[in-house]
Amino acid sequence: MRTFLTALLFIAIIGSDAQGRSSEVEIGLLTQAKPTKIIITPLRGDYSVVSNDSVIYSLKNHDLLHISLKDQKLELRTLNGLLGTFLNVRLIPQGEDGAFKLKSVIPYGHAKSYDDILNINNGSKCLQVINEVNIDKYVAGVVKSEVGTNEGLELYKVHAIICRTYALSNFRKHEEEDYQLCDKVHCQAFAGSCDQADPVTGLSYAASNDILKAAVQTAGLVLVDTTLELITASFHSNCGGQTCNSEDVWMLSKIYLRSVKDPYCVQRKNARWERKVSQAKWLGYFERVHGYKVSDEQSRERALNFTQTSRAPYFQNNQKIMLKDVRADWRFRSTFFSTSVSGDQVVVQGRGFGHGVGLCQEGAMEMVLRGIGYKDILNFYYTGVALIDIASLRFLLR
Ligand SMILES: [Zn+2]
Ligand SMILES: [Zn+2]
């Protein structure tokens, strides 16, 4: 039954292929800003401004188009004056590879560049701005915002596949808003076009170029589990030497999110952390929040000298105090910590940074430096998964 439902899900996603949409995604832009006035400038090539299938204006390279919400309609202006008011407009590149700059004027925002088509609708009280963009360019725009600069082609490939897998399994997240994904962390942070240097993130032209290359060279590749279901490809900064089982962090068991020993990240930047807290505060916390008996000598000793040589899900097994809760309450960098006593202080020595489930980013960086390829990196962190082209998946499910 599950496999059948999975097949249906894929057919539903790939079904859009026949309408020519599988290679494009619709991304809601400026969804938090809720703009009432924007400016658009073509950066590469000229654009046709279209409404109701009629071309109303030809916007030349570096021309400015102002769009404001007036009486529930879009008012369009260029430097030559008013173009008119419309219910919606579509900006389509006249050449094959158009790009434009978009800036929110009310409220004020920084300009960002985007590729391909832009749709603007009346979103009641604000303009609804949707970028209809080639999926590889979208993937590159997400990798650009999620991965550090100058990390190399192989690491960008790892993240391009993770990003594409996530995008395809979350295609219906914004169905009610008439687009597929938003540009915020809620879906995946999308930083726009990735074909130039970015002074804001410090991304060089060469790095941008590598990111785009990684997206194109892995085009169509996604990660699936043994039932051909797209995986939840979670990742974190540094696992401290061992990743977590998904159920120990999210109560959700996934066969491919298993704890693995990771020798690659242990010398990296986020491998270790330390905090000191007073003994009274530490013991008081366990007594108050978890009803832990600190009056009992043996229990008290266990709480002060807690050790993890390999990753444990619980702080204390007999009471099932989950380490993820202790981490959240103390805002620790990870759940992978041990404690010892120094005077009236408890020294908390931790390893890693982040939830610890799935791919360890710093481990993956180290693997790339040691010449390990993206397929082996993905297989190391995601247990028993397969890398498959979404097109061949369609063939298998026919
Ligand atoms: Zn979203
Ligand atoms: Zn690691």
Side-chain angles (χ1 to χ4, degrees):
M1 182 64 185
R2 188 163 172 247
T3 309
F4 176 65
L5 288 175
T6 307
L8 279 183
L9 168 73
F10 271 110
I11 288 162
I13 291 170
I14 295 160
S16 57
D17 202 15
Q19 298 150 32
R21 290 171 61 192
S22 73
S23 61
E24 277 149 22
V25 280
E26 292 166 334
I27 310 298
L29 304 180
L30 306 172
T31 47
Q32 269 175 354
K34 299 190 185 306
T36 53
K37 185 171 184 179
I38 57 175
I39 298 179
I40 299 144
T41 314
L43 280 178
R44 196 169 52 227
D46 300 340
Y47 268 73
S48 298
V49 183
V50 176
S51 189
N52 282 334
D53 296 328
S54 308
V55 177
I56 49 177
Y57 193 75
S58 181
L59 199 63
K60 301 291 172 203
N61 200 260
H62 294 103
D63 273 358
L64 295 177
L65 176 68
H66 295 244
I67 303 183
S68 328
L69 190 67
K70 288 264 168 74
D71 302 323
Q72 299 300 305
K73 284 188 178 165
L74 315 183
E75 185 185 273
L76 272 61
R77 280 179 187 277
T78 66
L79 291 177
N80 297 326
L82 184 68
L83 282 182
T85 55
F86 306 89
L87 285 173
N88 50 62
V89 289
R90 188 167 160 82
L91 273 74
I92 305 172
Q94 291 173 4
E96 271 204 352
D97 193 27
F100 58 89
K101 200 176 253 191
L102 167 69
K103 180 181 160 72
S104 174
V105 180
I106 302 174
Y108 176 81
H110 293 291
K112 272 191 192 171
S113 58
Y114 297 91
D115 297 290
D116 303 341
I117 296 171
L118 189 69
N119 295 315
I120 302 124
N121 305 315
N122 160 24
S124 72
K125 295 193 181 163
C126 70
L127 298 168
Q128 188 187 47
V129 187
I130 301 170
N131 186 196
E132 211 174 294
V133 58
N134 170 281
I135 190 160
D136 295 328
K137 291 177 183 168
Y138 165 72
V139 163
V142 173
V143 174
K144 171 177 146 180
S145 70
E146 280 182 349
V147 187
T149 57
N150 304 322
E151 296 299 345
L153 187 63
E154 213 63 15
L155 192 77
Y156 295 142
K157 283 185 189 172
V158 165
H159 279 277
I161 291 162
I162 289 175
C163 159
R164 187 179 300 105
T165 304
Y166 180 91
L168 289 172
S169 58
N170 286 277
F171 249 34
R172 290 185 170 73
K173 224 167 169 176
H174 288 277
E175 205 164 33
E176 286 183 7
E177 288 118 309
D178 287 333
Y179 51 84
Q180 288 156 335
L181 300 157
C182 73
D183 63 344
K184 300 290 169 223
V185 179
H186 171 257
C187 287
Q188 300 188 104
F190 170 54
S193 189
C194 189
D195 65 347
Q196 54 200 327
D198 190 333
V200 178
T201 59
L203 203 67
S204 67
Y205 178 77
S208 294
N209 208 26
D210 269 354
I211 292 174
L212 200 55
K213 216 188 276 176
V216 172
Q217 286 180 5
T218 61
L221 290 182
V222 288
L223 289 161
V224 292
D225 65 13
T226 47
T227 66
L228 294 182
E229 193 159 355
L230 291 164
I231 73 160
T232 303
S234 52
F235 59 92
H236 55 276
S237 172
N238 185 311
C239 74
Q242 188 182 355
T243 67
C244 294
N245 291 316
S246 60
E247 64 272 23
D248 295 340
V249 179
W250 298 320
M251 305 292 175
L252 183 73
S253 178
K254 295 278 185 190
I255 50 168
Y256 48 85
L257 296 175
R258 297 298 89 208
S259 175
V260 294
K261 294 255 167 122
D262 180 0
Y264 301 105
C265 62
V266 291
Q267 301 296 331
R268 304 286 303 203
K269 191 170 119 251
N270 289 320
R272 295 197 175 265
W273 56 271
E274 187 177 294
R275 277 265 295 276
K276 283 184 181 154
V277 292
S278 82
Q279 274 196 42
K281 269 193 183 167
W282 186 247
L283 293 171
Y285 160 76
F286 285 102
E287 187 170 40
R288 197 179 65 254
V289 178
H290 301 287
Y292 188 74
K293 286 194 176 56
V294 294
S295 53
D296 175 67
E297 187 61 32
Q298 220 180 355
S299 302
R300 180 187 158 89
E301 191 54 30
R302 269 208 305 258
L304 293 174
N305 293 291
F306 168 70
T307 51
Q308 290 188 72
T309 43
S310 63
R311 267 192 120 121
Y314 303 111
F315 183 78
Q316 293 299 347
N317 278 320
N318 54 348
Q319 268 185 260
K320 303 260 180 199
I321 300 173
M322 290 208 78
L323 280 165
K324 71 177 183 75
D325 296 333
V326 178
R327 178 195 173 205
D329 292 340
W330 288 87
R331 299 192 178 174
F332 288 158
R333 298 185 105 191
S334 72
T335 59
F336 199 6
F337 62 85
S338 299
T339 62
S340 58
V341 175
S342 171
D344 61 352
Q345 304 272 296
V346 173
V347 184
V348 186
Q349 285 181 310
R351 299 195 229 167
F353 189 8
H355 53 62
V357 183
L359 179 130
C360 166
Q361 278 183 298
E362 290 194 342
M365 285 175 194
E366 185 63 32
M367 287 173 96
V368 167
L369 289 180
R370 296 187 193 185
I372 300 170
Y374 71 95
K375 289 180 190 167
D376 290 333
I377 295 173
L378 290 165
N379 276 309
F380 179 75
Y381 290 109
Y382 301 116
T383 309
V385 297
L387 196 57
I388 193 164
D389 191 313
I390 197 97
S392 53
L393 195 60
R394 174 175 48 174
F395 174 77
L396 285 173
L397 294 170
R398 236 179 228 156

